[in-house]
Amino acid sequence: VYGIYLIGSVVASPFNSIIAEKVLMSRGLIPHRNFDLSRWVAVSLKMLLVSLIRAGIFLLIGIFLFICSFIPGLNLISSFLAFVILAFDNMDYAYEIMEFNLSKRFFHLKQNASLFSGMATIIGATLLIPGLTLLLMPFLVAGAAVNFESKEQK
């Protein structure tokens, strides 16, 4: 499940970034701006470095969660934590638009644990119907951007 989601996420990544940016623009968190190639390249390179570090951290956590998934009792907790990682991945598009560094992203995760728990529960529920998570991914990204905006406004 985790692997299929990540493959779908990579394929849809450019579109999800546009969705998050448009949602944040429409909600007034970022100003409307025209496309600037030099700014886009600079931000993309910076966010690529952040994404690679984040991927390494989540790979280590994912291996640990995979091992824990074979232990009765811990398997439920490890599944839920994997869903929290997927929720964080959906919110990551908004983080990139806002140019958050890695520590600021994890601080936001810690400050909004209940938000991520709810998002994780919804992601887990979509797994009941095969393929539904991939079909709903654009809506999950848009919802995460709206939730990010509402938390930032407070």
Side-chain angles (χ1 to χ4, degrees):
V1 171
Y2 192 65
I4 292 171
Y5 181 86
L6 291 178
I7 290 170
S9 180
V10 168
V11 170
S13 182
F15 306 107
N16 290 340
S17 292
I18 292 169
I19 290 169
E21 183 176 32
K22 296 299 180 189
V23 167
L24 293 175
M25 277 184 196
S26 71
R27 306 285 288 198
L29 194 59
I30 59 173
H32 289 276
R33 54 186 175 220
N34 294 327
F35 182 76
D36 179 17
L37 182 63
S38 61
R39 182 184 182 287
W40 178 78
V41 169
V43 170
S44 294
L45 290 175
K46 179 180 165 187
M47 292 303 114
L48 176 63
L49 178 63
V50 170
S51 295
L52 290 174
I53 294 169
R54 181 183 57 99
I57 292 169
F58 284 158
L59 177 65
L60 294 175
I61 293 171
I63 291 169
F64 177 73
L65 292 176
F66 178 72
I67 293 168
C68 288
S69 70
F70 292 106
I71 302 169
L74 286 180
N75 59 349
L76 297 175
I77 296 168
S78 64
S79 295
F80 181 75
L81 292 176
F83 298 150
V84 169
I85 290 173
L86 297 179
F88 184 84
D89 186 56
N90 284 315
M91 186 71 79
D92 197 54
Y93 296 103
Y95 293 153
E96 285 187 14
I97 299 301
M98 298 301 295
E99 299 179 29
F100 276 21
N101 61 24
L102 197 58
S103 63
K104 199 167 183 182
R105 293 174 192 209
F106 284 122
F107 180 76
H108 188 264
L109 170 66
K110 189 172 100 175
Q111 292 297 107
N112 299 289
S114 61
L115 169 68
F116 284 96
S117 295
M119 290 171 62
T121 303
I122 297 300
I123 291 170
T126 63
L127 292 173
L128 295 173
I129 300 173
L132 184 61
T133 305
L134 295 177
L135 290 174
L136 292 180
M137 192 182 304
F139 299 104
L140 295 171
V141 170
V146 168
N147 282 323
F148 175 81
E149 180 269 334
S150 68
K151 291 294 183 181
E152 286 298 303
Q153 295 295 337
K154 290 182 180 180

